[in-house]
Amino acid sequence: MFIRISGARFRVLKQGAGGAWVIAYDEYQMPRYVSRDELERAERIAAPEEYVRNRERPMSAAQQQRYDLLRSALEDDRCITDEAHRTAVFAAIAREHNTTVRRLRRLYHAYLAYGSLTKGKPRESTRRSDYEAAIRKYYFSAKRGSLRTAYELFILANYTNQGILADEIPSWSSFRTYYFRHFRDNPQKEIAREGLTAYQRNSRPLYGSAMQYRESIGCYQVDETQGDIYLVSKWDRSKVIGRPNVYLAIDTASGLIAGLYVGLDAGETAMMACIANAAMDKRAYCASYGIDLRPEDWPSRGLPSEIISDRGGEFVGNRIDELCICYGIDRQALPPFRAEEKPLVERAMDLIQESYKSMLRGRGVIGDDVGERWATDYRKQAILTLDEYTAIVIHTIIALNKGRVLTDIGHLPVEAPNTPARLWQWLTDQGKSTLLDVDADELYRRALPRASSKLTRKGIVCNGLRYLPERGAELTIGAKIEYAYDPQDTSHIYVIAEDKRLIPCALAPSSARYDGYDMADVAIMRREESEREKAARQMELEARVAMRSEIERIIRQAEEQSTGSVKDISDIPQNRTRERRSLT
């Protein structure tokens, strides 16, 4: 006999005067006892078709073998009603036949519930609209309640009357089983609970291969991150200057890290510096940090013909627009949370920081517990300057370019090398390159940071220094102009003309003493000059105060000696002559 209790199906195993022992048909449960009243309220239903087929089908050899294994339990009605006895019988069978009690329990349930020892419980695709509505309303919610909370709210809304539970309610077990059977992998769960942004960023399925996106070098993926390390000033190592910004440009076809910027700047200036670095000869760049580079270890040189980036402000601003227009560069700005469109640069960021983190523990590198209570203050551990950190990043990039083995280049011929540097050179030799050959000096100037000022008769003021445009430059006195400047070289700035030409301006004679220094040196020199001037002003003030003190003393003395005397103004020339004679 089969019955339905609270929507779940049960097979009646053994009846008595006070009630009956039943076993669940739709989910895994051992036999349980129901009272006579509950049994009478239960709905009588026909035996499931699957159960009927199982009972009518002859027992196979595999079924007979399993039946023989469980014979002592199946032929003992006490195993239905006495859980302790049932467990003891299973334990004895498990020891004798070298199996597990868990397996025996499942076989026992399978035979009692639906009459088969070789097939699991039937999984019917029966849908329950009340369960589905409750799950979508209470669990798929931005309030992020638990599944148990959703079940309780479901019971409260549908099976209570003035706070009193109904006699028959769906069980928590059936509600939970229904969720895991029909909704466990439903993307709507994360979208509803965490938001579409989190789903697109973390759980959206991705397809394809990054290395097959381009087959010719010249398409660069660019991105930015903040280094997981605190740095100190190179002028005073006792002062922490914060975390550096790292920009990378990586070639899509070869996986070579082609461009780098490490510094304290962010935005368009840093982005342009990274592109300029990608286009330059790396030997001079590495030499400035004391690194002797072999050309074949970092062979990239030239401007990319295509740039892939996200929609960050530095990647879609006026500066990058100007660069693309001047050199005919294609640009692809990806929509938000499409990291799979530039996975190479995303992974390169991680590889670089993973390479040095273990060696810099306790030296300013940020740990996973940053910001937590009682966590280490990593700022106090900083020891590296910006130049030293940049040198570490360069060494890491050289190692990744020449030594990292690529495993996803199946779209290329067998003879293609499998390291980024060698693959870059191989593709170049095959003529698969769309790099643009540009004037390195002009690109360098266009990548410089920019500012604006007013042109006066005394010139243009940039960081406290005055510059004069070259003769013949068509600039209007009093006009506001935009100019580019090099923080490492104070000798010139470059005014951006309306046609995007760069007009050089040299230091004015009043600032010529700063020629040959970088802006950081000039700032220190000007600060020292300011302190010397302040000391001189103090000395000047002290001298003038002393002067006025003496003048006041002389005035008081004169007033004391002339008190009460009558002034004779009748013959001033004669008095003047007499005074002159007395002085000689």
Side-chain angles (χ1 to χ4, degrees):
M1 183 173 64
F2 280 82
I3 60 175
R4 188 187 304 276
I5 302 176
S6 299
R9 293 180 294 179
F10 292 86
R11 180 191 170 204
V12 179
L13 302 176
K14 183 178 181 181
Q15 281 187 275
W21 287 87
V22 299
I23 190 167
Y25 184 81
D26 295 310
E27 56 182 307
Y28 176 75
Q29 292 179 0
M30 284 294 104
R32 70 182 181 91
Y33 184 77
V34 296
S35 66
R36 183 174 181 177
D37 292 340
E38 187 176 2
L39 184 63
E40 291 178 352
R41 290 195 303 267
E43 177 189 359
R44 269 58 173 176
I45 60 174
E49 293 182 4
E50 184 72 18
Y51 175 82
V52 174
R53 286 196 298 270
N54 290 337
R55 298 299 292 182
E56 294 177 350
R57 185 183 300 119
M59 190 176 291
S60 66
Q63 284 184 319
Q64 186 63 50
Q65 183 179 3
R66 289 183 174 89
Y67 185 89
D68 293 339
L69 177 68
L70 279 171
R71 184 182 298 275
S72 59
L74 293 174
E75 296 179 355
D76 185 355
D77 288 347
R78 187 180 171 189
C79 288
I80 296 176
T81 60
D82 190 340
E83 181 179 359
H85 176 71
R86 182 171 63 240
T87 302
V89 172
F90 286 164
I93 296 174
R95 287 193 301 270
E96 180 181 354
H97 295 278
N98 192 26
T99 185
T100 64
V101 173
R102 182 178 180 181
R103 174 174 176 247
L104 296 174
R105 285 182 180 276
R106 290 192 176 278
L107 290 174
Y108 184 75
H109 171 270
Y111 186 80
L112 293 184
Y114 46 86
S116 174
L117 285 165
T118 57
K119 183 179 180 181
K121 64 179 181 179
R123 294 181 177 269
E124 299 180 2
S125 58
T126 304
R127 310 294 289 197
R128 290 198 54 168
S129 59
D130 55 345
Y131 279 7
E132 295 200 9
I135 291 171
R136 294 184 184 279
K137 181 177 180 180
Y138 301 121
Y139 190 60
F140 289 3
S141 168
K143 296 180 180 180
R144 303 181 187 178
S146 65
L147 187 62
R148 179 74 187 195
T149 300
Y151 167 72
E152 293 171 356
L153 291 174
F154 163 64
I155 297 298
L156 176 63
N158 298 278
Y159 293 90
T160 59
N161 183 11
Q162 296 181 352
I164 301 175
L165 286 176
D167 293 335
E168 295 184 7
I169 62 173
S171 67
W172 156 242
S173 178
S174 65
F175 186 85
R176 179 183 56 189
T177 301
Y178 190 88
Y179 165 76
F180 282 104
R181 182 173 297 173
H182 297 286
F183 288 95
R184 184 173 187 175
D185 298 323
N186 193 322
Q188 289 298 321
K189 171 190 171 183
E190 183 170 356
I191 295 174
R193 292 171 64 86
E194 307 295 337
L196 181 61
T197 294
Y199 172 76
Q200 289 181 329
R201 182 174 62 246
N202 301 322
S203 304
R204 178 166 45 89
L206 305 178
Y207 307 97
S209 169
M211 296 296 293
Q212 298 175 13
Y213 187 67
R214 293 289 187 275
E215 294 188 356
S216 299
I217 60 177
C219 173
Y220 287 0
Q221 302 174 18
V222 295
D223 202 4
E224 176 269 343
T225 191
Q226 197 172 32
D228 288 341
I229 189 171
Y230 285 102
L231 304 178
V232 298
S233 170
K234 68 177 181 179
W235 310 107
D236 184 354
R237 288 182 180 263
S238 66
K239 291 182 171 53
V240 178
I241 60 174
R243 297 167 60 182
N245 296 311
V246 181
Y247 285 73
L248 288 183
I250 185 168
D251 179 63
T252 302
S254 65
L256 184 91
I257 301 174
L260 168 69
Y261 168 81
V262 181
L264 303 180
D265 291 330
E268 287 184 311
T269 296
M271 169 65 178
M272 294 292 289
C274 178
I275 297 299
N277 177 268
M280 70 184 298
D281 186 348
K282 303 303 187 297
R283 286 179 297 178
Y285 174 68
C286 293
S288 63
Y289 292 94
I291 301 172
D292 186 15
L293 177 72
R294 296 187 305 171
E296 61 269 21
D297 293 339
W298 198 352
S300 61
R301 182 177 181 179
L303 197 63
S305 59
E306 183 178 2
I307 296 175
I308 301 175
S309 68
D310 55 32
R311 294 186 183 275
E314 62 266 46
F315 303 122
V316 295
N318 295 331
R319 298 282 303 282
I320 193 69
D321 284 343
E322 177 185 321
L323 180 73
C324 293
I325 292 173
C326 288
Y327 295 103
I329 300 174
D330 293 330
R331 182 181 59 186
Q332 182 179 355
L334 303 177
F337 312 113
R338 296 303 300 268
E340 81 279 5
E341 295 291 343
K342 51 182 182 66
L344 298 179
V345 68
E346 298 280 355
R347 182 56 181 153
M349 292 287 190
D350 294 336
L351 289 175
I352 290 173
Q353 302 206 80
E354 289 171 2
S355 299
Y356 64 71
K357 265 193 169 183
S358 60
M359 300 182 65
L360 295 178
R361 296 291 183 192
R363 298 173 176 85
V365 164
I366 298 174
D368 296 334
D369 60 347
V370 60
E372 296 182 3
R373 183 177 296 180
W374 310 117
T376 302
D377 189 347
Y378 297 103
R379 296 171 296 182
K380 296 180 179 179
Q381 298 179 341
I383 62 171
L384 295 178
T385 66
L386 180 61
D387 289 344
E388 291 166 345
Y389 175 71
T390 303
I392 290 175
V393 174
I394 292 174
H395 280 295
T396 303
I397 289 176
I398 293 173
L400 292 175
N401 281 343
K402 73 175 183 179
R404 176 166 49 104
V405 177
L406 303 174
T407 59
D408 194 10
I409 55 174
H411 61 292
L412 295 176
V414 177
E415 65 271 15
N418 61 350
T419 62
R422 294 172 58 196
L423 181 57
W424 172 287
Q425 192 60 54
W426 184 84
L427 290 170
T428 302
D429 295 341
Q430 298 292 317
K432 295 183 177 181
S433 173
T434 59
L435 292 173
L436 307 175
D437 189 14
V438 299
D439 185 341
D441 291 337
E442 181 184 357
L443 179 61
Y444 162 75
R445 296 189 186 103
R446 291 194 179 277
L448 294 175
R450 296 186 180 182
S452 59
S453 180
K454 182 180 290 187
L455 177 62
T456 67
R457 294 189 180 277
K458 293 183 178 181
I460 304 167
V461 178
C462 173
N463 293 324
L465 305 182
R466 292 191 177 277
Y467 293 85
L468 298 176
E470 63 182 7
R471 291 185 178 276
E474 299 178 356
L475 300 177
T476 304
I477 299 296
K480 187 176 182 180
I481 59 173
E482 183 183 15
Y483 60 87
Y485 65 94
D486 185 355
Q488 307 300 322
D489 182 11
T490 58
S491 60
H492 288 83
I493 64 172
Y494 304 91
V495 173
I496 313 300
E498 292 183 358
D499 57 358
K500 302 303 179 182
R501 289 184 303 111
L502 300 177
I503 303 174
C505 301
L507 279 170
S510 60
S511 301
R513 63 184 182 277
Y514 300 112
D515 192 10
Y517 295 94
D518 61 26
M519 291 297 182
D521 293 331
V522 170
I524 294 175
M525 294 170 64
R526 288 176 61 82
R527 186 164 57 249
E528 293 175 349
E529 289 176 358
S530 177
E531 292 174 355
R532 289 196 299 268
E533 183 179 356
K534 183 178 179 180
R537 295 287 185 185
Q538 181 68 20
M539 293 176 61
E540 178 187 11
L541 178 60
E542 292 175 355
R544 294 181 68 84
V545 169
M547 172 197 72
R548 295 187 182 282
S549 175
E550 289 300 315
I551 292 175
E552 287 184 350
R553 183 186 62 79
I554 294 172
I555 291 173
R556 286 196 302 271
Q557 181 179 351
E559 288 177 343
E560 292 174 357
Q561 293 179 359
S562 61
T563 302
S565 61
V566 178
K567 306 301 184 291
D568 182 8
I569 60 173
S570 58
D571 194 358
I572 291 178
Q574 184 178 356
N575 294 337
R576 182 184 183 88
T577 300
R578 219 174 10 252
E579 184 71 17
R580 184 183 294 114
R581 289 175 180 173
S582 65
L583 292 175
T584 59

